[in-house]
Amino acid sequence: MLRTKSVWSPINRKTDGLRILATRFRGRAMPTGRYDVWMPSLGPSERLLMAGQAGRISWAKFAAGYRAEMFMDGPIDSRSRSIKNHGQKFTLRLLKSLARNGHVTLMCHCAEDQDRCHRHLLRQLILSRRV
Ligand SMILES: [Zn+2]
């Protein structure tokens, strides 16, 4: 089961499973007990995040940019001729497998009722055929 949640919502040890803080910034006031693992690599880049938060780009542009970033090649890819990392592709695949066999919760600082949060895009990506 793959869920999304605000990191500030009540913790449910039974149904949350592996609690992943999927944000670029951890937040100074964030107690480490609110998540099991912090994965900045699953958050939007600082540039994309700032552009989205400042309203310089539309939600559609933000969403497209985020999806692109999740599969963006890094310098390591130029060092391999055949099998590349393709950004977070294999991390997303791992999360898909973990969620198939247990509970995984993707979290962000945004409020629980915030529809326009990358955590929803991330969940869709993990459940998609792309990974
Ligand atoms: Zn968010």
Side-chain angles (χ1 to χ4, degrees), residues 59-76:
W59 169 250
K61 273 232 162 86
F62 175 86
Y66 176 70
R67 286 188 200 102
E69 283 185 351
M70 285 300 100
F71 296 98
M72 208 171 267
D73 291 347
I76 193 79

Side-chain angles (χ1 to χ4, degrees), residues 108 110 117-118:
C108 181
C110 294
C117 170
H118 79 282

